[in-house]
Amino acid sequence: MDIKSVNHIAVICADYAASLHFYRDILGMEVLSEEYRAERRSMMTKLALNGSYLIELFTFPNSPKRCSYPEACGLRHLAFTVDRLEETRDELQRKGVACEPIRRGANGESCFFCSDPDGLPLEFVSVVEL
């Protein structure tokens, strides 16, 4: 087996406009392409972070809501590395995103969580080299 990297992460969203606004305008991702797939009645949008293809947003008719609490099996959250954790949290809150308090770990790692418009938990991590 020769796995090189994660190619992309697919996120199904209930409200395409809200999710696109969140990932593009709030998190600052770049839209690489948007495509309406008529046969599936589905949008597919490819997003990049710092020039690297990362996330696909999908819509599908009548998708069930995500089970986040209590936590269900499967993908738990997406985690993003940031340089300035407190500034990132402050900026998200100024943009109307509810964020949990910053957690400080004994291993030098600090993080906080928020959620996307469909309740997908997002973690923001700042790693301090020891």
Side-chain angles (χ1 to χ4, degrees):
M1 188 174 319
D2 188 25
I3 297 174
K4 305 251 188 257
S5 66
V6 173
N7 184 271
H8 69 274
I9 300 157
V11 176
I12 298 172
C13 52
D15 181 333
Y16 177 72
S19 291
L20 181 61
H21 169 73
F22 181 82
Y23 285 96
R24 181 191 60 206
D25 303 328
I26 293 176
L27 296 187
M29 295 186 185
E30 172 191 1
V31 174
L32 297 177
S33 66
E34 285 183 288
E35 175 186 353
Y36 180 72
R37 301 172 312 160
E39 72 283 357
R40 299 187 77 185
R41 298 183 330 202
S42 168
M43 282 297 297
M44 181 179 78
T45 300
K46 294 182 178 185
L47 300 167
L49 182 61
N50 298 319
S52 295
Y53 168 47
L54 180 67
I55 290 179
E56 287 181 351
L57 288 182
F58 287 94
T59 59
F60 293 103
N62 305 312
S63 292
K65 286 191 174 269
R66 174 182 164 75
C67 180
S68 290
Y69 301 100
E71 292 186 11
C73 290
L75 180 66
R76 183 169 186 259
H77 63 265
L78 302 181
F80 299 100
T81 302
V82 298
D83 289 328
R84 294 173 299 281
L85 193 65
E86 290 181 15
E87 289 177 26
T88 299
R89 185 175 178 274
D90 291 345
E91 181 178 343
L92 287 170
Q93 289 183 311
R94 279 193 304 275
K95 292 179 177 180
V97 178
C99 299
E100 293 180 3
I102 292 176
R103 303 174 192 178
R104 306 218 186 265
N107 62 355
E109 185 174 280
S110 295
C111 69
F112 71 88
F113 283 85
C114 65
S115 296
D116 82 352
D118 289 300
L120 174 64
L122 303 177
E123 179 182 18
F124 292 82
V125 181
S126 179
V127 179
V128 176
E129 297 294 326
L130 298 177

